[in-house]
Amino acid sequence: NIEQSQKEIKEKKTISLVIPCYNEEDGLPATFRLVPKYIDEIIVVDNNSTDRTAEVAKKFGARVVKETKQGYGWAYQRGLKEARGEIIVTADADGTYPPQKPAKIIDFLLKNNLDFVSCCRLPLKNKKAMEPLNLLGNYLLSIAMSFFVWRWIKDSQSGMWVFKREILPKLHLTSGDMALSEEIKMEAILNPEVKFAEYHIDYYPRVGDTKLIRWRHGIKNLLFLFK
C-alpha cells in the first residue's frame, strides 16, 4: 500500500531532495510538479546558471544555494552538505528520474536495513529515454566499475540515489564532474560499514538541452575509475 508506506516513512524520517542545476528553467517545472508533499525540503544547487533556474526553483518553494565551482560533482557535493533530512534523495532537473516515487525506494532501504540505494535505470523500460550510444557507454562503464569493485553493478552512472545522511562522512568524494555519480557508489560499496543495493526505476526522455558531452564525459569517467 503506497499511501500507507508514505505515511509510515513520513512518521519515521525527514527527507531532503537535492537537485543540481545548470540552466534548467525548462525542466524544473515538470520535475517539481512530480515531487510528493511528504518531502521536507528541496535543495536546488544553482551551478552558475545564466537563465531563470534560481527564480523558477524559488517559485516552487525550493531552497536555492549557489555553487560557483562549475561541475556536476561540485554542485552535488555542495547540495549534499546543505541537506538537513535524515534521508537524502537525489534527482536531475530534466524530468528523467521519477522524484514522485521515493516512498517505495525509502521503504526498500529501511526494510532491508540498507544505508545506500542506487536507482538503476537499466534495462530501460522506455527505449527512447536514452540514445543508443549513451546506453552502450553506460553498459561499458558499469562493466568496468563492476570489475574494480568486484561486484556486479547494473547502472554505475545513475544520478538518482537514496541514502541515510549519517553515512556522508564515510563517503570521501573528490570528483567535481560527472564522475561523482560512479565515485559515490564506489565509496559506498567499498566501505564495509555501508550497506549498498540497487533498485530498478523508470527513466524518461529529458526536458530541455542535455549537458552531457558524450565522448568527453565517457572517457573522463573511465579514467576516473582507474584513478
Side-chain angles (χ1 to χ4, degrees):
N1 186 303
I2 296 176
E3 291 186 1
Q4 182 63 27
S5 293
Q6 292 176 354
K7 183 180 179 181
E8 290 177 357
I9 288 167
K10 181 61 181 173
E11 290 173 350
K12 291 178 181 177
K13 302 292 181 181
T14 53
I15 307 166
S16 296
L17 174 62
V18 178
I19 305 175
C21 289
Y22 174 67
N23 292 345
E24 293 288 2
E25 66 174 354
D26 293 332
L28 273 175
T31 301
F32 277 118
R33 290 189 186 104
L34 296 175
V35 176
K37 294 181 179 179
Y38 59 83
I39 297 294
D40 294 282
E41 67 169 355
I42 304 173
I43 299 171
V44 164
V45 185
D46 182 6
N47 196 205
N48 302 313
S49 298
T50 56
D51 65 358
R52 297 172 57 252
T53 288
E55 181 183 338
V56 172
K58 290 177 182 177
K59 179 181 176 181
F60 281 92
R63 178 159 65 97
V64 178
V65 296
K66 184 82 173 177
E67 176 51 62
T68 56
K69 287 184 181 179
Q70 192 65 43
Y72 174 87
W74 296 127
Y76 254 132
Q77 289 198 51
R78 175 64 189 277
L80 298 180
K81 290 177 183 177
E82 292 283 342
R84 301 165 181 163
E86 296 167 275
I87 300 291
I88 297 176
V89 179
T90 67
D92 288 349
D94 54 13
T96 50
Y97 293 99
Q100 73 274 29
K101 297 181 179 180
K104 287 185 176 181
I105 307 167
I106 296 172
D107 190 52
F108 175 76
L109 177 135
L110 296 176
K111 286 186 176 179
N112 290 281
N113 194 30
L114 299 168
D115 300 302
F116 191 108
V117 174
S118 179
C119 299
C120 175
R121 304 164 293 174
L122 308 178
L124 292 173
K125 290 184 179 179
N126 183 347
K127 303 301 181 183
K128 296 181 180 180
M130 191 182 296
E131 294 185 16
L133 282 177
N134 289 19
L135 183 61
L136 175 62
N138 270 279
Y139 276 121
L140 293 177
L141 286 168
S142 295
I143 291 171
M145 179 171 159
S146 298
F147 174 78
F148 284 116
V149 300
W150 207 242
R151 171 174 176 164
W152 177 238
I153 302 299
K154 295 179 181 178
D155 187 3
S156 67
Q157 306 303 304
S158 170
M160 186 175 184
W161 326 304
V162 176
F163 60 95
K164 297 175 181 176
R165 183 167 60 89
E166 65 188 43
I167 70 165
L168 266 178
K170 300 176 182 179
L171 308 179
H172 305 293
L173 305 177
T174 62
S175 175
D177 209 339
M178 300 294 287
L180 185 100
S181 60
E182 60 192 19
E183 181 182 31
I184 195 169
K185 299 179 188 68
M186 292 183 78
E187 283 289 313
I189 293 167
L190 295 174
N191 191 318
E193 297 179 5
V194 177
K195 297 177 182 178
F196 173 95
E198 287 185 290
Y199 183 96
H200 195 267
I201 60 168
D202 294 331
Y203 189 68
Y204 307 98
R206 86 173 334 272
V207 178
D209 298 326
T210 182
K211 311 303 184 299
L212 181 70
I213 303 173
R214 183 185 296 143
W215 293 109
R216 189 183 82 179
H217 285 129
I219 292 172
K220 287 179 72 174
N221 283 13
L222 182 61
L223 292 176
F224 189 86
L225 287 173
F226 283 91
K227 178 184 175 181

